[in-house]
Amino acid sequence: MSAKIYTSTELRVAIHLANVKNVEIGTSLNADGKYAMATRESWEKDILPRFKRWMIHNNLWDWNPKHDCDDKADALKLFAQRCFREWGGEVEAEGFAVWRVWYRIDGDPSKGHAINRALTDEGFIYIEPQTAKIVQFTQEEEASKWLEY
């Protein structure tokens, strides 16, 4: 297979220009009309421990350049959606309130990192999918977000 290699900046610009015209970088992109949320306790005691076990079982836990932060953030988003389907059958919502977030490390435009953000009974939380832990997001990290979906 032949593939063109893009830098992260080239890819970000190409995606923005091709797919999200009329949307400023830094905007949250949501598709569903209604979102269900889990409690913070559910994240800590159910979803995140199950996610870690699932990642280990499927040989995806250890860091790999071909399965790094954005891949793990995607995996957590999909895993959480699966959990929602298991126990959310009577909830009138199409989606689960968890997103992937890209931000700049130390404000450097060439150093991006992807984690997850979820809405809970205690407000928004940030989750580092590479550790399956809730983390604190600094004001600088919050200000450097450039895509959330």
Side-chain angles (χ1 to χ4, degrees), residues 11 38 121:
L11 183 60
D121 58 325

Side-chain angles (χ1 to χ4, degrees), residues 55-131:
M55 293 286 283
I56 291 168
H57 176 77
N58 288 287
N59 200 29
L60 297 169
W61 185 249
D62 293 331
W63 190 86
N64 179 316
K66 291 186 169 109
H67 194 267
D68 56 3
C69 65
D70 57 315
D71 303 304
K72 291 182 187 327
D74 288 341
L76 178 56
K77 163 66 175 144
L78 292 172
F79 186 85
Q81 184 70 31
R82 178 178 164 254
C83 291
F84 165 64
R85 281 197 318 267
E86 287 176 7
W87 44 259
E90 297 184 22
V91 176
E92 290 186 27
E94 299 91 33
F96 190 62
V98 60
W99 299 270
R100 299 158 206 94
V101 176
W102 281 95
Y103 70 96
R104 302 185 199 304
I105 298 171
D106 300 325
D108 184 338
S110 67
K111 295 180 183 175
H113 186 57
I115 64 171
N116 297 92
R117 181 165 94 143
L119 181 59
T120 75
D121 58 325
E122 296 181 18
F124 285 104
I125 59 171
Y126 288 94
I127 303 160
E128 173 53 77
Q130 295 182 99
T131 61

